[in-house]
Amino acid sequence: MEAFSDGVFAVAITVLVFGLRPTGNGTLTQQLLHSWPQYLAYVVSFITIGIMWMNHHTILAHVARVDRPLLVLNLLLLMGVVAIPFPTALVAEHLQHKGASATAAAVTYGLVMIAISFGFAGLWIYVVTHAPSLGASLPPEALRSSIPGFTGGLIAYVVGTLIALISPLAAVIIYGALGVYYLFEHLPSPSSEAEPDPADG
Amino acid sequence: MEAFSDGVFAVAITVLVFGLRPTGNGTLTQQLLHSWPQYLAYVVSFITIGIMWMNHHTILAHVARVDRPLLVLNLLLLMGVVAIPFPTALVAEHLQHKGASATAAAVTYGLVMIAISFGFAGLWIYVVTHAPSLGASLPPEALRSSIPGFTGGLIAYVVGTLIALISPLAAVIIYGALGVYYLFEHLPSPSSEAEPDPADG
Amino acid sequence: MEAFSDGVFAVAITVLVFGLRPTGNGTLTQQLLHSWPQYLAYVVSFITIGIMWMNHHTILAHVARVDRPLLVLNLLLLMGVVAIPFPTALVAEHLQHKGASATAAAVTYGLVMIAISFGFAGLWIYVVTHAPSLGASLPPEALRSSIPGFTGGLIAYVVGTLIALISPLAAVIIYGALGVYYLFEHLPSPSSEAEPDPADG
Amino acid sequence: MEAFSDGVFAVAITVLVFGLRPTGNGTLTQQLLHSWPQYLAYVVSFITIGIMWMNHHTILAHVARVDRPLLVLNLLLLMGVVAIPFPTALVAEHLQHKGASATAAAVTYGLVMIAISFGFAGLWIYVVTHAPSLGASLPPEALRSSIPGFTGGLIAYVVGTLIALISPLAAVIIYGALGVYYLFEHLPSPSSEAEPDPADG
């Protein structure tokens, strides 16, 4: 399952490059400068998918055995991750258009992120609640202690989506910040003795 | 072989995102709402490829050695799986057009699924009938007991394709339901002691 | 090296699906029937890349260690393999246009195949001539015994490219037949005891 | 981490084929001959990504354990590598247009390469300075001895980018030569006893 998931993450993060191409009028230099929302959307989505991959990896590292429900939950999560280039392209194209289309693009981005947050929560809750049968060594407290971090991230994506109604650009910056947030608010590592994590120290 | 196949499944499932882009007239919000057949086609094909990957994995998990005929049968199966984004795009674009083009799109989708069903049947029959030389521990009864499930799925895809002549939308929903059907009508797992499957319990 | 190469083959074979889309005038059904060169080009290139992957795998299975020259030769080979979707798209688009453009498309396809044949020959010759330092157990006779098969394939691709000047369609069919030829004219397997190959029996 | 990175490199190198398609006026043969900047850009970027993959592999082969900062530095490096098809397409399209647009394309290519050079330097410096906690057996001198090679390459990319202001074509050829330079100016191999490297002999 991990090889397949890694492949999906790798392809999804790489196809983001198709969102980069000069648009608008004028010389090529003017077009390249004018296309800054593409670069912003590329960076935000690249960091987001990359950090999602890390956290996905951390979740699966707890698991020694895989069952069908876990595969299905993983598939539903990947369905959201694979979709990310879609709202990324919307934001890249419409962020500069004042008004309703920029808002629609940023709201769509937020809705995809909210769906993915539920996907991650579902996968993690399943792993923790089925720890013994999955060969995981997680105590039930692991779930409770990770709930605030997950819930906080989900609420922040909802707030970001609401802010998109007022300022689409601010919302996109919030989405990028949330990617970085998940870098630090990470799950318990599977074997903290074997892999000391300097970020914790 | 498994790494290559996993990579092909991972890329095929990820390129489905290219089928998502706003079409039609009006504001971006109107376009996004108008593009619902794209989301339906995305979800149906994503689930279908994902569950095909799981069943492909289950088949290969029985095999300890690989020979040339198996590689060729696997390649023919992948030729069908890789093609899925093609009828997916047809359905996404034409499902809303009343009449012949929606029918042609949904029939094409069904024909690809029928071809893939034959590919899976061929791969599975080869594995079961050559179990000793492939290092598989499958008894010959495994084939007989899995025939009803496979045949049922194939007949259902044929029925779905015929229904596409009357109602393309109903056919697409049937294709989605068949993806879920194959989730439950699964093959004998290779090592049921080592990997207890809660879906069976 | 093998994981990277497998990934490249997997992506190159999967992007062939982008060559499938209805073209021409008339109803969707007419367009789908009219697009038969796309399906032909898809099948020929899919089989070609798939069997190239198998033979690539067989070559690398001989090698226990990897050095820089081998990596570079492998990279040059992959540069040809990755290019295959390009002449595939040319053939798919121009095969029905009578005259010079169909010829140009089929000749380009043949030239890419000739380049890849040299790439395979280079990789194989390097492996055989450096067998001891690569940890391969190949006797020097392995090279001599495989030369006729390789040379035959190369000459056949040159002949196919020349035939493209007269009949592009015949050339494309020859390219497909050559893919199948390489399926049977295969290299010595690395461990014939461990993996009995029924195709030889 | 390596499987994910390998996947990203494999996809990034394969999507370069999308930059190949006949452009311009005239017969298909004339268009194919006229599109030579596409082939040049394809070859330069293919070699560049391929050799970057090799050096990336060499760096990671030193590392026995992975921590969060290493994952983040790796992600930032991949953000540059994945972007390469973007300036490749710019160069392919604009190299023949005399004047400002060819310059803008070649400068953009150089800027991406400079960013990637910093990414590689950051990853390598982190590995060397955190060798004990990453389980690497690198002495601190390894860093000092590799600085001249890295610095030389970075300065050469800056020079190439400046030359792009005068001759975009010359700059692109320099970029290709730099890819080959990094093939020879390589990092200390992780286990020189186990994998004798003929390129050093």
Side-chain angles (χ1 to χ4, degrees):
Chain A
M1 180 169 82
E2 195 141 9
F4 176 72
S5 303
D6 278 4
V8 169
F9 274 99
V11 182
I13 209 170
T14 312
V15 299
L16 290 172
V17 70
F18 293 120
L20 301 178
R21 58 168 185 279
T23 51
N25 301 313
T27 67
L28 180 58
T29 308
Q30 287 170 329
Q31 290 178 38
L32 287 169
L33 296 174
H34 178 260
S35 303
W36 63 264
Q38 292 181 3
Y39 315 139
L40 175 64
Y42 174 79
V43 169
V44 168
S45 290
F46 200 98
I47 290 174
T48 300
I49 297 179
I51 292 172
M52 280 176 179
W53 168 75
M54 288 184 209
N55 289 328
H56 185 263
H57 206 76
T58 305
I59 291 177
L60 292 197
H62 287 283
V63 171
R65 281 189 296 274
V66 165
D67 59 19
R68 284 254 153 175
L70 190 72
L71 287 168
V72 173
L73 287 169
N74 188 51
L75 194 63
L76 292 174
L77 170 60
L78 293 178
M79 204 192 299
V81 172
V82 165
I84 289 177
F86 169 56
T88 305
L90 293 180
V91 165
E93 190 179 341
H94 295 282
L95 195 57
Q96 284 180 103
H97 305 169
K98 300 284 173 238
S101 67
T103 302
V107 167
T108 305
Y109 198 106
L111 292 176
V112 170
M113 290 300 134
I114 291 168
I116 295 171
S117 297
F118 277 110
F120 263 113
L123 190 69
W124 179 238
I125 290 170
Y126 185 81
V127 168
V128 176
T129 54
H130 294 70
S133 76
L134 298 169
S137 58
L138 279 165
E141 303 88 74
L143 179 60
R144 239 170 305 143
S145 66
S146 59
I147 282 176
F150 264 125
T151 316
L154 182 59
I155 289 174
Y157 273 122
V158 172
V159 170
T161 307
L162 293 173
I163 286 174
L165 298 169
I166 305 160
S167 167
L169 178 58
V172 171
I173 291 167
I174 288 171
Y175 300 147
L178 278 169
V180 178
Y181 162 80
Y182 275 113
L183 178 62
F184 294 104
E185 178 56 38
H186 59 85
L187 301 160
S189 14
S191 50
S192 51
E193 297 79 27
E195 294 184 37
D197 191 337
D200 293 332
Chain B
M1 180 168 81
E2 195 141 10
F4 176 73
S5 302
D6 278 4
V8 169
F9 274 98
V11 182
I13 209 169
T14 313
V15 298
L16 290 173
V17 71
F18 293 121
L20 301 178
R21 60 168 183 280
T23 51
N25 301 313
T27 66
L28 180 58
T29 308
Q30 287 170 330
Q31 290 178 38
L32 288 170
L33 295 175
H34 179 261
S35 302
W36 63 265
Q38 291 182 4
Y39 314 138
L40 175 65
Y42 175 79
V43 169
V44 168
S45 290
F46 200 98
I47 290 174
T48 300
I49 297 179
I51 292 173
M52 281 176 179
W53 168 75
M54 288 184 208
N55 289 328
H56 186 263
H57 207 76
T58 305
I59 291 177
L60 292 198
H62 287 283
V63 171
R65 281 188 295 274
V66 165
D67 59 21
R68 284 255 155 178
L70 190 73
L71 286 169
V72 173
L73 287 169
N74 188 51
L75 193 63
L76 292 174
L77 170 60
L78 292 179
M79 203 192 299
V81 172
V82 165
I84 289 177
F86 168 56
T88 305
L90 294 180
V91 165
E93 189 179 342
H94 295 282
L95 195 58
Q96 284 180 103
H97 305 171
K98 299 287 173 234
S101 67
T103 302
V107 167
T108 305
Y109 198 105
L111 292 176
V112 170
M113 290 299 133
I114 291 169
I116 294 171
S117 298
F118 277 110
F120 263 111
L123 190 70
W124 179 239
I125 290 169
Y126 184 81
V127 167
V128 177
T129 55
H130 294 70
S133 77
L134 298 169
S137 58
L138 278 165
E141 302 89 73
L143 180 58
R144 240 170 305 144
S145 66
S146 60
I147 282 177
F150 263 126
T151 316
L154 182 59
I155 289 174
Y157 273 123
V158 172
V159 170
T161 308
L162 293 173
I163 286 174
L165 298 170
I166 305 161
S167 167
L169 177 57
V172 171
I173 291 168
I174 289 171
Y175 300 148
L178 279 168
V180 178
Y181 162 80
Y182 275 113
L183 178 61
F184 293 104
E185 178 55 39
H186 59 84
L187 301 160
S189 20
S191 49
S192 51
E193 296 80 26
E195 294 185 37
D197 191 337
D200 294 332
Chain C
M1 179 169 81
E2 196 141 9
F4 176 72
S5 302
D6 278 4
V8 169
F9 274 98
V11 183
I13 210 169
T14 312
V15 298
L16 291 172
V17 70
F18 293 120
L20 301 178
R21 59 168 182 278
T23 51
N25 301 314
T27 66
L28 180 58
T29 308
Q30 287 170 329
Q31 290 179 36
L32 287 170
L33 295 174
H34 179 261
S35 301
W36 63 266
Q38 291 181 5
Y39 315 137
L40 176 65
Y42 174 79
V43 169
V44 168
S45 290
F46 200 98
I47 290 174
T48 300
I49 297 179
I51 292 172
M52 280 176 179
W53 169 74
M54 289 185 209
N55 289 327
H56 186 264
H57 207 75
T58 305
I59 291 177
L60 292 198
H62 288 283
V63 171
R65 281 188 296 273
V66 166
D67 59 20
R68 282 256 155 177
L70 189 74
L71 286 169
V72 173
L73 287 169
N74 188 51
L75 194 63
L76 292 175
L77 171 60
L78 292 179
M79 204 193 299
V81 172
V82 165
I84 288 178
F86 169 55
T88 304
L90 293 181
V91 165
E93 188 179 344
H94 295 282
L95 194 58
Q96 284 181 103
H97 305 169
K98 300 284 172 237
S101 68
T103 302
V107 167
T108 305
Y109 198 105
L111 292 176
V112 171
M113 290 299 134
I114 291 168
I116 294 172
S117 297
F118 277 110
F120 263 112
L123 190 70
W124 179 240
I125 289 169
Y126 185 81
V127 167
V128 176
T129 55
H130 294 71
S133 77
L134 298 170
S137 58
L138 279 165
E141 302 89 73
L143 179 58
R144 238 171 305 142
S145 67
S146 60
I147 282 177
F150 263 126
T151 317
L154 181 58
I155 289 174
Y157 272 121
V158 171
V159 170
T161 307
L162 292 173
I163 286 174
L165 298 170
I166 305 161
S167 167
L169 177 58
V172 171
I173 291 167
I174 289 171
Y175 300 147
L178 278 168
V180 178
Y181 162 81
Y182 275 113
L183 178 61
F184 294 104
E185 178 56 39
H186 59 86
L187 300 161
S189 18
S191 50
S192 50
E193 295 81 27
E195 294 186 37
D197 190 337
D200 293 332
Chain D
M1 179 167 81
E2 195 140 10
F4 176 73
S5 302
D6 278 4
V8 169
F9 274 98
V11 182
I13 210 169
T14 312
V15 299
L16 291 172
V17 70
F18 293 120
L20 301 178
R21 58 167 184 279
T23 51
N25 302 313
T27 67
L28 180 58
T29 309
Q30 287 171 329
Q31 290 178 36
L32 287 170
L33 295 174
H34 179 261
S35 302
W36 63 264
Q38 292 181 3
Y39 315 138
L40 176 65
Y42 175 78
V43 169
V44 167
S45 290
F46 199 98
I47 290 174
T48 300
I49 297 179
I51 292 171
M52 280 175 179
W53 169 75
M54 289 184 209
N55 288 328
H56 185 263
H57 207 75
T58 305
I59 291 177
L60 292 199
H62 288 283
V63 171
R65 279 188 297 274
V66 165
D67 60 19
R68 284 255 154 176
L70 190 73
L71 287 169
V72 173
L73 287 169
N74 188 50
L75 194 63
L76 291 175
L77 170 60
L78 292 179
M79 203 192 300
V81 172
V82 165
I84 289 177
F86 168 56
T88 304
L90 293 180
V91 165
E93 189 178 344
H94 295 282
L95 195 57
Q96 284 180 104
H97 305 170
K98 300 285 171 237
S101 68
T103 302
V107 167
T108 305
Y109 198 105
L111 292 176
V112 170
M113 290 299 134
I114 290 168
I116 295 171
S117 297
F118 278 109
F120 263 112
L123 190 69
W124 179 240
I125 290 169
Y126 185 81
V127 167
V128 177
T129 54
H130 294 71
S133 78
L134 297 170
S137 58
L138 279 165
E141 303 89 74
L143 179 60
R144 239 171 304 144
S145 67
S146 60
I147 283 176
F150 263 125
T151 317
L154 181 59
I155 289 173
Y157 273 122
V158 172
V159 170
T161 307
L162 293 173
I163 286 173
L165 298 169
I166 305 161
S167 167
L169 178 57
V172 171
I173 291 167
I174 289 171
Y175 300 146
L178 278 169
V180 178
Y181 162 80
Y182 275 113
L183 178 61
F184 294 104
E185 178 56 39
H186 59 85
L187 300 161
S189 11
S191 50
S192 50
E193 297 79 27
E195 297 185 35
D197 189 338
D200 293 333

